[in-house]
Every structure is written in C-alpha cells, then in structure tokens.
Amino acid sequence: MNAAVRAVVRMGIYVKAKVYFVYEGYQGMVDGGDNIVEVSWESVSSILQVGGTVIGSARCKSFRTREGRLQAAYNLVQRGITNLCVIGGDGSLTGANLFREEWSGLLEELAQKEKIDEEAVKKYAYLNIVGMVGSIDNDFCGTDMTIGTDSALHRIIEVVDAIMTTAQSHQRTFVLEVMGRHCGYLALVSALACGADWVFIPEYPPEEGWEDSMCVKLSENRARKKRLNIIIVAEGAIDCHNKPITSEKVKDLVVQRLGFDTRVTILGHVQRGGTPSAFDRILASRMGVEAVLALLEATPATPACVVSLSGNQAVRLPLMECVQMTQEVQKAMDEGRFLEAVRLRGRSFENNLNTYKLLSHKKPDAELPKTNFNVAVLNVGAPAAGMNAAVRAAVRVGITEGHKMFAVIDGFEGFARGKIKEISWGDVGGWTGQGGSILGTKRTLPAKYLEKIADQMRTNNINALMVIGGFETCDRIKQSASGTKRRVFIIETMGGYCGYLANMGALAAGADAAYIFEEQFDIRELQANVEHLTEKMKTSIQRGLVLRNENCNENYTTDFIYQLYSEEGKGVFDCRKNVLGHMQQGGAPSPFDRNFGTKISAKAMQWISKKLKETYRKGKVFANTEDSVCLLGMRRRNLVFQPVAELKTETDFVHRIPKEQWWLKLRPLMKILAKYKTSYDVSDSGQLEHVAMHSPKEAETGAI
C-alpha cells in the first residue's frame, strides 16, 4: 500500500495539486483535526520497502451512518478536498461510492445547518473518487492482481520451501492453511507454485468421496518414493454441501486412514506482513499514478472507477460493476453454482485452476491417449528462475496429451552429443521450486551443430521441440539501500543490452536514476543527475539509489559513475557501489516465475499437440510453414504465438533486444517519482471499460 500512497502523493504534487493524508481510514475522515494533513514530497520518502501502510487503516462504524458521513464531508470541505483516492477492499470502495452519491445532499444539509455557506456548496459541488484495490486475497473481480497479493504469495512460498526440507527429512505430510475466507486465489496459486498434492478452495469444492480419492493419491505418491506430501487449505474451504473443510479435519483424515506423520501449519497474519515484493511495488506505483490521472480526467458524469492492471496494461473499470460481480461470486457459491463462481472470478483464476488440475493428477496409463509423437524439451541461454517449473509443465502436459516426452541435457550442445533421454511424469516431481536449470543450459547457439542435431532428431524420431530460454533471461532484482548516513548506492544490473531489469528495479526500489542502453545519455545528463541528487540530499532525504545496466555505455562504466558521484557529492553524501552479477540468476524462483513458467509452458505444449495433429499425414509430420516455429509470450493483455519469421523484422540482433520495448513508456514514471521535471505521455493511460464476462472458451486462449 505504501508504494501506492507514495505514487499518489508525488504524482499529485507533479500536477500542481495539494495532497492530503487521511490517517486511520474513514475514522480519520470523520474525526478530522490532525488526521487530515497536507503532505510534501519528503513525507513519502523511504516508505517503498515498508510493509503495511504508513497512514494507517481502521474499520469505522460511524462512517456507516449518515451522521458520520456528514461530519466527514464537513472535514473535507473545510480543506477544499473534492478528489478522493481510496485504497482498500470492496467494503471500503462501496462505502466511498455511497459517499460520492450522497455528497451534494450532504453539502446541502451542512448549508441548512449553517456549517458551510452556499458558495461552498457551489464550489465543492462534486466529489470524484478513484479506488485502488488493496487485498491480499485477490478477491476483487475485474483486476488481474490486487495490491498485496504477490507479497502474500512470497510469504506462503517461503514457508512452503522451508517446510519442504523438514518434510523430506522426516517423511511427513504437511497441511498448510492459508488466508482466503471467501476466495481461494492464494491457496490455488501457492498449490500451483509448489506442486501441492491437493488443494481445497471455496470456489471449487471437491466431489463426493474426495476423502477416498485424496488418500489414494497420497499413498500412491508415497509408494513412488515421494518423501513428502503437501496439502493446501484455504481458510474458507468447503465441500459440495457448503460444509467447512478445516485443516484439522484434513489432518485427522490422513492420520486415521493412512497413519502418516501429519502436521498442520496455519500461516495467519504472517501473510500480511514483511517487505513488499518488487511486483507489488511496481503494480502499486503504476496504479497510484493512474489513479491521479483518472481523478484529473473525472467529470460529474463519469462513474467512480477502480484502476487496475490487465496483462501489462493499466485499465479503469466502473467501481460498482466490479463490486457487483465480486458479490455475484459469493452468491453463486452460496447457491452451489460453483462452476459459475469460478467463471465469475475471471480468466486468470480459471486458467490457474485448469492448469493445476492438468498437472497435479496423472491419469492411469490405460486412460491416456496414444499419439505416437515424440516431443523433446530443452533449456537454452542463461539460467532463469522458473525454467524448471516450465519443464515440469511441458513434460506433464505432453504425457497427458499422449506424447512420449524426451529431455535434452545441456542445451543445443548436449543435443548434438546425443544427451537425450525419455522423461516420465514422476521424474519432474518437486521441480517447481528449484532454481537454475536442472536439465542444464548453455549459451551455445545451434548454428554449428545443425547437422548433428538433425541426426539426433532422426535417430530419436523427434517430431517437435520445445525450447525454454532466450537471448538473456532473468526476471527479478531485489536490492534495498537504506541507512542512517546520507549515502548513495550505485548498483550494476545484468540484462546484456536490455535495460528492463535496471528500469523496473529502479521503479520498484524508488531509485533516483537508471542508466540503460535504450535511452542514450551523455556527460551533461550525468552532471544534471548528480546535481539533482545533491540538492535532494540536502533536505531530509537520507539515501540515494542509482542503477546502471551492464552494457548501457562502454565509456560511462559503473566505476566512472561511482567516482563521479563520489567526487561531486563530497560533503553531502558518500557512495557505495555493488555489481550484482550472477546472484540475479540464482536463488529459488518467485511465485510469479513459477506460475508464469508453468502456465506458459502448458499452453505451449497444447499448441505443439495441436500443430502435430494438423500436420500429420501418412505417418509423417509435414511442418514446413512459417507458423510451425513460434515464440510464445505476453503482448499487452494476451499470450500470443508469434511466428519466429515475423520476429526478424522486430529484433535488433546485434544487441539481442526487441526494437520496441513496451516498458520504455514507464521511464518517465520513474523520473517523476524521483522529482525530475519531465513530460508524461498519457496516451497509453487506461480508458474506462466495462467489466466483461467471458465464455469458458476464452479461459483457454486469454492472458495469464
């Protein structure tokens, strides 16, 4: 939430508006006084990395009464506030909408009571409201991700990864209870991210006789030498008769039926705390800026809206349409219409559920189709977190589709040397949370091995190849720089010639500058940056952060920038530098990487199956059209299969980057939040859309 607060304050000041904090939520608005204070640029310094919210939040009974809302309206009018940005769940946002609808009536009542004059009634006639959804449950319809969800997933996965080591040591079964009284998103996605044996969520209760099915599956896994079982239970989990399924009930069932050593872990409020993830910081920063733009463009005729993210695009949706659909989900669950509840949750939720079902339960061999196709999977390029999750998904979906799956060891080089073996469903168990590349990966390109690779493909009768990798792939950076002295950190990130990591890392960490190859800079800009930072550090600002992409400029090296800032900042701040290097490629994959890798890979394997069937004639595969070699990736809001031949015109092969980078549009955002005077292109900002219902078919083709 703090990243959103910071972005609203700084964007508001950037557009020359007065910005106020309302402390302690609606209670502070009703109480007034010191709870509503004007804030400055420095008020939101060094809060990006802090969990929770610095302005507080409180439930407020008095705001539910008209008398309370009347007092709140008086307190706002006294300060000339007619634009309200509300960060909260559906209850908070519904209350805000009611307040907006009553606003003119409240002002007239205040005038009748002679608390304000008629001029004030005319001057402050309309209240504009924009909402941002802050909810770790991701239970608000219309938005892909709510603020706080990704950080909560990090907390859950940290616990699951820690539990896995102890469970493997002792051959235990763990029942993990996570938050989600009315929404199973956290349970479902964490089950997908750790390859859980079973998951219980309120939107999709298990069928009658689930107790037998679950116990059979657990005992089969143990028989296959799997040393641990993980069962994830959402706190609001129910059976098909709307009766609660508790973590204790699941534990007792496993102990009584199977005699397994079983433990329960209830995560509780651990999920709400901790440092926000990079994803949440970027999401909240983008939404905060979008909220200010939406308020500036609001008219009395436009409905109150929520700002949201769909794919990598900002969107605005009518607040009450989202609230109504969110309430429809609960109604559908109460009435036992569970398939409808899943559909109402949206494409992302439905995709997660379908992928989990596909990967968690292996059908008996007799029930699997037989296609006689052989499909090989290999990793290429630098190791990237999430590769192993992608391989696991590819193998399991391929087997489900009826193919014989092969794993290639050590990329194209290993392929040329015949390092290829058949891989089974059980072989990829437990791969989801592993870092690096278990199959091994080399940066060697296939050009010099083409003939040998072709021989291996003939020898092993390989009909299709799934390649996981790229030019240089690495998705995450985490670097925090804070201290008591005035200090500037110069950080060098990886990425080859692609500045994505430096730019998005800068946005997530609240950096003062990010130097990238895509946006050329000279000594004058460096000098201006140093002077700008020096002036900032003379105020109450305690720290500075500068990121530099490793190949942004061959002459302005990290050492050069470090020495320049050190010299020019003498007497004001001191400098430290850090070259992050290969630590960015290591470590356990984030929940996002695990799930993105899993779902994109499952989708790719389904595409391969479709293409194989389309091109199979007289015992052979005739795949010689352009669309038989495709790259799968996210474009704006959707996952798109793009023929590699088309990518030739869009790629800078010398520097191994796309000619057009979508994230460059976020560059001005970073500069505005670092107090630079710069222009901001609003042509790409969100437009008001309606909340769309989708058909079940859309879930198969839509965005993750």
Side-chain angles (χ1 to χ4, degrees), residues 297-340:
E297 294 166 19
T299 68
T302 52
C305 74
V306 286
V307 291
S308 165
L309 210 63
S310 178
N312 58 27
Q313 296 295 299
V315 294
R316 300 175 194 171
L317 300 162
L319 190 155
M320 290 316 292
E321 282 187 25
C322 296
V323 169
Q324 198 173 348
M325 192 177 285
T326 304
Q327 291 168 349
E328 284 292 323
V329 178
Q330 188 58 49
K331 190 179 173 192
M333 288 193 286
D334 292 343
E335 294 172 2
R337 294 180 285 114
F338 296 110
L339 288 175
E340 179 75 1

Side-chain angles (χ1 to χ4, degrees), residues 164-196:
M164 277 185 161
T165 53
T166 180
Q168 280 181 329
S169 305
H170 296 283
Q171 264 200 316
R172 281 186 179 145
T173 296
F174 271 86
V175 181
L176 195 70
E177 184 181 301
V178 301
M179 281 185 164
R181 198 171 302 137
H182 305 293
C183 178
Y185 183 88
L186 287 178
L188 177 58
V189 174
S190 46
L192 198 55
C194 71

Side-chain angles (χ1 to χ4, degrees), residues 529-569:
N529 291 157
V530 175
E531 288 169 3
H532 181 264
L533 191 52
T534 305
E535 287 305 309
K536 274 174 72 174
M537 299 291 265
K538 286 177 182 173
T539 65
S540 59
I541 305 290
Q542 292 286 324
R543 67 168 187 93
L545 182 63
V546 175
L547 273 71
R548 177 189 176 275
N549 162 255
E550 59 184 349
N551 289 342
C552 66
N553 189 294
E554 60 183 339
N555 295 315
Y556 300 136
T557 62
T558 302
D559 283 333
F560 177 90
I561 292 173
Y562 164 69
Q563 287 161 1
L564 176 70
Y565 275 78
S566 297
E567 181 61 31
E568 297 296 321

Side-chain angles (χ1 to χ4, degrees), residues 1-2 5 22-26 52-58 87:
M1 279 183 168
N2 286 327
V5 169
V22 179
Y23 287 100
E24 308 308 332
Y26 290 134
T53 168
V54 294
I55 59 174
S57 178
I87 311 168

